[in-house]
């Protein structure tokens, strides 16, 4: 079975391109590669290896989101750059892996567990209502 090429609009510039390995057009890919090289060249200098994300943005002029993308794609290895992190998706605290910091992950887990308990209680109540025996009392008005 032959796969058909998919046309898409580049999310950066809006140009139409054939979607393949990349999610962006060739021109934007080349721009990203130039930006990566600028960041990488900056970090290769010994004194810059402990730079934070904001320090890299200020020094290179490369967008913060693009540097975060490089980190998440593991193109900038956190093991080589000890202070390199990116913000937690929920609270903004610097993290080095995943999408959430440990505290936000724990809170989310707690909230999900609480939600599950409430769902279980709701199901138990529904089942109890279904199983309830209804008793009717009838009065015989002719009984003396």
């Amino acid at each position: 079975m032959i796969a058909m090429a998919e046309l898409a609009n580049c999310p950066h510039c809006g140009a139409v391109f054939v979607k393949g390995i990349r999610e962006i057009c060739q021109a934007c890919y080349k721009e990203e590669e130039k930006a990566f090289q600028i960041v990488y060249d900056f970090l290769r200098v010994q004194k810059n290896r402990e730079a934070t994300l904001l320090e890299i943005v200020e020094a290179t002029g490369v967008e913060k989101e693009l540097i975060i993308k490089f980190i998440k794609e593991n193109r900038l290895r956190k093991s080589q750059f000890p202070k390199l992190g990116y913000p937690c998706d929920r609270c903004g605290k610097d993290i080095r892996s995943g999408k959430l910091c440990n505290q936000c992950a724990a809170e989310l887990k707690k909230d999900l567990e609480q939600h599950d308990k409430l769902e279980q209680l709701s199901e138990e109540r529904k089942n109890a209502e279904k199983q309830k025996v209804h008793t009717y009392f009838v009065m015989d008005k002719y009984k003396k």
Side-chain angles (χ1 to χ4, degrees):
M1 188 172 182
I2 299 173
M4 301 257 327
E6 183 181 341
L7 289 178
N9 288 78
C10 177
H12 293 287
C13 68
V16 176
F17 72 105
V18 177
K19 198 172 186 179
I21 299 170
R22 294 180 205 95
E23 299 290 321
I24 57 175
C25 70
Q26 187 66 21
C28 289
Y29 174 73
K30 286 180 181 179
E31 289 299 314
E32 276 192 8
E33 286 304 302
K34 286 180 189 174
F36 174 77
Q37 200 57 52
I38 291 169
V39 171
Y40 189 72
D41 288 344
F42 173 77
L43 288 172
R44 280 183 35 201
V45 176
Q46 183 70 33
K47 68 177 182 169
N48 297 335
R49 289 197 179 155
E50 292 199 18
T52 63
L53 179 62
L54 294 177
E55 291 170 343
I56 297 168
V57 170
E58 288 174 11
T60 63
V62 175
E63 293 177 9
K64 179 180 172 182
E65 290 74 24
L66 195 53
I67 298 171
I68 291 171
K69 180 180 176 182
F70 298 149
I71 297 169
K72 288 183 177 181
E73 289 175 345
N74 217 17
R75 294 182 70 187
L76 296 175
R77 301 198 191 285
K78 296 172 290 280
S79 60
Q80 294 175 333
F81 311 111
K83 291 188 179 177
L84 195 56
Y86 52 91
C88 167
D89 283 355
R90 187 166 178 234
C91 71
K93 179 181 168 186
D94 267 1
I95 57 175
R96 295 180 49 82
S97 65
K99 292 183 178 249
L100 299 173
C101 66
N102 291 338
Q103 183 178 353
C104 288
E107 287 175 13
L108 186 61
K109 184 178 178 183
K110 181 183 168 191
D111 290 347
L112 286 171
E113 288 170 353
Q114 185 176 7
H115 175 74
D116 287 346
K117 285 180 185 176
L118 289 173
E119 285 289 316
Q120 186 178 4
L121 280 174
S122 177
E123 279 298 314
E124 288 173 4
R125 285 184 185 146
K126 286 179 186 176
N127 290 336
E129 283 293 321
K130 287 179 184 176
Q131 293 176 356
K132 226 180 216 184
V133 177
H134 297 288
T135 307
Y136 296 98
F137 296 97
V138 179
M139 217 169 87
D140 186 0
K141 65 180 181 181
Y142 300 107
K143 188 177 181 184
K144 293 186 187 183

